[in-house]
Amino acid sequence: MKREVLELLKENKVKITNEREVIIEILQQTTKPLSPADIFLRVRPQLPKVNLTTIYRNLEMLEGLGLIKRVGFNKEYFSYELLANRPHHHHAICKNCGKIEDLENISEKFVDQVSRQTSFKIEDHNLEFFGYCKNCRRENL
Amino acid sequence: MKREVLELLKENKVKITNEREVIIEILQQTTKPLSPADIFLRVRPQLPKVNLTTIYRNLEMLEGLGLIKRVGFNKEYFSYELLANRPHHHHAICKNCGKIEDLENISEKFVDQVSRQTSFKIEDHNLEFFGYCKNCRRENL
DNA sequence: ATGCATGCAAATCCTTTGCAATTGC
DNA sequence: GCAATTGCAAAGGATTTGCATGCAT
């Protein structure tokens, strides 16, 4: 899968640097969205000289190419997740511990409803659920 | 409606200050979400000495009481909207001009789907649609 | 009168930008 | 070799914090 991403970069005349390879690997290894700082911390062990700025710039580039998606969570800052080869899905976020669960099989019927009801030309949507995960639910009792 | 909000503040031993009254009025007058800075700009004509810090602190307080909701939009910063007496609804956001449209009548059936499919105890959700409004759609052609 | 709220200034955190040095192609 | 990319330092913008003063109850 990394191959395909790198291919796409080449097609777009984007140079394949070590930094970019590692960032892409990391995005592929995690299913949950990562913030720029998260990614930075995971790149550093492999490339100790890397700079946060580089992370930001590459995330922007990858988003521009449509390879990753920016997702905004409640109190937190923006995070990114890889889109390539992943079916459209949504997230359930635990209000207590921040745990994120993927929800893969939600019907998209309601998207049609919206398109009919608004004058907007809808291209994309965000759907996030908030609640408590198994563990934190227990803690609350 | 403002009365009810003020009642709720009293119940929670929160003092009714001019700043708070004006902030609440402003939140009530707009249907679209407002950022702290937006609110600040609208409070100032009425209370020229008000400080942005006060806006931040009061929004945090109102959110804590569950009276307003923090909504995060794409590239933008967080905004708030009053919950009281407003039916649950969603937003359509124009990717070009940032215009926000309320979507009031979306079926909530899919929420049930989710509750069944996850181990999370779902309490809330965010649903935002992105696309182009009538005007910006024309510009794109 | 008392304690909560405010204003102000400074600090903090995330993100962006400018520029010189470096690297991929 | 040339253009794109990086690292570094500094700037920018939103948000938070500390503290003295003011105000609602």
Side-chain angles (χ1 to χ4, degrees):
Chain A
M1 194 165 111
K2 182 178 155 195
R3 281 264 92 57
E4 288 125 37
V5 176
L6 295 183
E7 276 310 312
L8 212 142
L9 295 193
K10 280 189 187 173
E11 282 171 32
N12 284 275
K13 303 178 202 314
V14 173
K15 291 179 181 167
I16 314 294
T17 63
N18 289 337
E19 290 80 356
R20 282 173 179 163
E21 292 204 54
V22 175
I23 290 172
I24 291 166
E25 274 166 21
I26 287 167
L27 283 167
Q28 278 171 173
Q29 284 162 13
T30 325
T31 133
K32 81 165 189 198
L34 298 173
S35 72
D38 288 338
I39 296 169
F40 175 63
L41 290 175
R42 294 172 194 219
V43 173
R44 223 168 27 175
Q46 304 182 54
L47 300 172
K49 318 206 96 185
V50 78
N51 194 283
L52 229 201
T53 307
T54 301
I55 311 291
Y56 274 101
R57 288 198 267 230
N58 280 313
L59 290 174
E60 192 187 353
M61 181 270 293
L62 291 169
E63 193 190 17
L65 292 181
L67 289 168
I68 62 177
K69 188 175 152 61
R70 198 174 195 171
V71 214
F73 294 122
N74 241 357
K75 286 254 180 189
E76 283 169 32
Y77 289 88
F78 286 111
S79 301
Y80 292 86
E81 66 180 1
L82 200 63
L83 292 180
N85 290 351
R86 293 210 64 207
H88 182 79
H89 66 284
H90 305 101
H91 297 117
I93 299 130
C94 179
K95 286 177 174 183
N96 187 50
C97 69
K99 188 181 168 191
I100 299 174
E101 188 178 286
D102 280 358
L103 306 169
E104 312 255 353
N105 301 311
I106 297 180
S107 140
E108 299 289 331
K109 271 180 207 151
F110 61 91
V111 176
D112 303 333
Q113 281 184 44
V114 175
S115 307
R116 254 178 267 126
Q117 142 176 200
T118 175
S119 57
F120 280 46
K121 188 185 163 223
I122 301 297
E123 295 198 338
D124 192 16
H125 67 272
N126 259 340
L127 175 54
E128 299 157 359
F129 293 87
F130 300 96
Y132 293 96
C133 71
K134 247 184 192 166
N135 282 338
C136 297
R137 206 149 113 205
R138 277 198 211 100
E139 283 170 23
N140 281 341
L141 298 180
Chain B
M1 194 165 109
K2 182 179 154 194
R3 282 263 92 58
E4 288 125 36
V5 176
L6 295 182
E7 276 311 312
L8 214 144
L9 295 193
K10 279 189 187 174
E11 283 170 30
N12 284 275
K13 303 179 203 314
V14 173
K15 291 181 180 165
I16 314 294
T17 63
N18 289 336
E19 290 81 356
R20 283 173 179 162
E21 292 204 52
V22 176
I23 291 172
I24 292 166
E25 274 168 20
I26 287 168
L27 283 167
Q28 278 172 172
Q29 284 161 13
T30 326
T31 134
K32 80 166 190 198
L34 298 173
S35 71
D38 289 336
I39 296 169
F40 175 63
L41 290 175
R42 294 173 195 220
V43 173
R44 220 166 31 171
Q46 304 182 56
L47 299 172
K49 318 207 96 187
V50 77
N51 193 285
L52 230 199
T53 308
T54 301
I55 311 290
Y56 275 101
R57 288 197 268 232
N58 280 313
L59 289 173
E60 192 186 353
M61 180 271 293
L62 291 169
E63 193 189 17
L65 292 181
L67 289 170
I68 62 177
K69 187 174 153 61
R70 198 175 195 172
V71 213
F73 294 122
N74 239 357
K75 288 254 179 188
E76 284 171 32
Y77 290 88
F78 287 111
S79 299
Y80 292 86
E81 65 180 1
L82 199 64
L83 292 181
N85 291 352
R86 293 212 63 209
H88 181 78
H89 65 285
H90 306 100
H91 297 118
I93 300 128
C94 179
K95 287 178 173 182
N96 186 51
C97 69
K99 189 183 168 190
I100 299 173
E101 187 178 286
D102 280 0
L103 305 169
E104 312 255 353
N105 301 311
I106 297 182
S107 141
E108 299 288 332
K109 273 179 206 153
F110 63 92
V111 176
D112 304 334
Q113 282 184 45
V114 175
S115 307
R116 255 177 267 126
Q117 139 176 205
T118 175
S119 58
F120 279 46
K121 187 183 164 226
I122 300 298
E123 294 198 338
D124 192 16
H125 67 271
N126 258 341
L127 175 54
E128 297 157 359
F129 293 86
F130 300 97
Y132 293 96
C133 71
K134 247 183 195 169
N135 282 338
C136 296
R137 206 148 113 206
R138 278 197 211 102
E139 283 171 22
N140 281 339
L141 300 181

